[in-house]
Amino acid sequence: MTSKRTRDRLINRLVDQGVSDARVLEVIGNTPRHLFLDEALSHRAYEDTALPIGHGQTLSQPYIVARMTETLIGAAGQLNRVLEVGTGSGYQTSILAQLVPEVWSVERIKPLQDKARERLRLLGIKNVSLKYADGTFGWPEPAQFDGILSTAAPRSIPQSLLDQLAPNGVLVIPVGAEAQTLTLVIREGDTDNFIEQKLEEVKFVPLLSGLS
Ligand code: SAH
């Protein structure tokens, strides 16, 4: 299940689908995705599919994790501090943590956050700060991120997330209700102008307000 061959097969599939950033492929190839799932599902960890993590939430499909991560890295200049909205299992968090110096991640379901924290600890990942909060409001302190990645879909982009982009900061976020579009937003320098680019149709869980 965790053999190199199984993981290589997943990486080949991602390459076939157009993922090309070598660092992203390497990190995904080296990260034990099965540790982010309940045991009953861990045999499916290296399939390119979204999988349930409880509480009605899902661990995103590896292709989507790869695509969002490579988009964030490719569009940003320097990427020191990244905010993730929707920690979930902690899988996407762990991928980011291997690629950028500081990862901050917000989750509104406490038991998911607790499990994610334990997994990150077991993997020896130390450059992640986790917060139990409604990520619609980003992370108001420090409130300056070079990159923000949301793994839950709002109907429209929350103003707080735009406000918390550093100069030239980059936001990657699925937007919409039934039909969702993965969207890239870049802050133009230190202005309040934001350039928006629609990437592809996607299916994410909704960004919900309040705590659960
Ligand atoms: N990145 C996760 C994906 C989990 S699914 C992973 O790799 O496993 C999206 C997550 O977003 C869910 O855990 C859900 O609870 C969370 N979420 C939804 N709305 C949120 C909000 N307003 N604030 C913080 N987290 C939210």
Side-chain angles (χ1 to χ4, degrees), residues 116-176:
R117 190 187 299 283
E118 179 59 11
R119 291 174 180 131
L120 295 169
R121 193 187 64 77
L122 284 172
L123 290 171
I125 292 175
K126 298 199 169 75
N127 55 333
V128 173
S129 307
L130 298 178
K131 179 157 124 169
Y132 173 52
D134 178 352
T136 312
F137 304 104
W139 193 317
E141 190 58 51
Q144 277 266 310
F145 297 95
D146 305 308
I148 300 180
L149 190 151
S150 180
T151 65
R155 282 169 183 257
S156 60
I157 299 175
Q159 186 61 39
S160 304
L161 299 186
L162 296 174
D163 290 343
Q164 291 176 23
L165 284 177
N168 300 309
V170 171
L171 168 65
V172 180
I173 188 167
V175 185

Side-chain angles (χ1 to χ4, degrees), residues 6-22:
T6 312
R7 293 193 197 185
D8 284 351
R9 206 179 304 132
L10 172 61
I11 296 307
N12 289 338
R13 202 184 134 89
L14 298 182
V15 171
D16 288 346
Q17 288 172 289
V19 177
S20 63
D21 188 303

Side-chain angles (χ1 to χ4, degrees), residues 69-80:
T69 309
E70 104 173 338
T71 300
L72 188 80
I73 289 178
Q78 59 151 31
L79 207 51
N80 281 321

